[in-house]
Amino acid sequence: EPLVESGGGFVQPGGSLKLSCLASQLTFAEYGIGWFRQAPGKEREEIVCMTKSDGSTYCADSVKGRFTIARDNAEATVYLQMNNLKPEDTAVYTCAADRDFGYGMQWYIDGGPLDHWGKGTLVTVSS
């Protein structure tokens, strides 16, 4: 499996979780990695947060100020730090990767496809 997520779980509102996306089978430094989420009974959302191979980052307005994305090229891992979690953040979080040379962040924000997908990790926010 090219991408393996971990770190999901159950947390109360206001709590924090840190998700990891391990991409050890990819030439990691060449890839942009994005996090997506799909809430129960809903369509998958557009990018939650993404980091490109050049180190630039993006997070959607719905999570800006609460979620932070970071990459560790040496560990071939992207982290999604999620703070002040809300019940509406409950979803399966999936990371995806794409060799992003020549593609700007807006390409992915606008729905540009990513080649590799993980299986997801469930985050449940509830009191």
Side-chain angles (χ1 to χ4, degrees):
E1 297 175 1
L3 299 173
V4 179
E5 302 94 339
S6 62
F10 181 92
V11 64
Q12 292 186 335
S16 297
L17 282 175
K18 186 175 184 178
L19 306 183
S20 299
C21 174
L22 174 63
S24 59
Q25 297 184 20
L26 302 178
T27 309
F28 186 79
E30 298 178 358
Y31 281 79
I33 308 287
W35 283 97
F36 296 77
R37 67 184 180 183
Q38 185 168 12
K42 295 187 177 182
E43 296 286 323
R44 189 178 68 205
E45 289 185 37
E46 301 300 329
I47 294 174
V48 177
C49 291
M50 182 166 184
T51 173
K52 287 186 76 270
S53 60
D54 63 5
S56 59
T57 62
Y58 162 84
C59 283
D61 287 344
S62 59
V63 304
K64 198 171 294 182
R66 300 188 298 121
F67 291 13
T68 304
I69 190 168
R71 66 189 295 147
D72 184 334
N73 285 354
E75 297 295 326
T77 301
V78 168
Y79 301 100
L80 184 67
Q81 178 67 47
M82 306 186 296
N83 298 328
N84 191 22
L85 282 160
K86 304 176 181 181
E88 52 263 42
D89 295 318
T90 294
V92 174
Y93 285 73
T94 306
C95 62
D98 193 56
R99 185 177 277 120
D100 64 4
F101 179 77
Y103 294 103
M105 186 70 79
Q106 196 64 45
W107 164 258
Y108 296 104
I109 294 170
D110 290 343
L114 291 89
D115 282 342
H116 305 282
W117 290 80
K119 293 184 177 181
T121 185
L122 177 63
V123 171
T124 303
V125 185
S126 176
S127 55

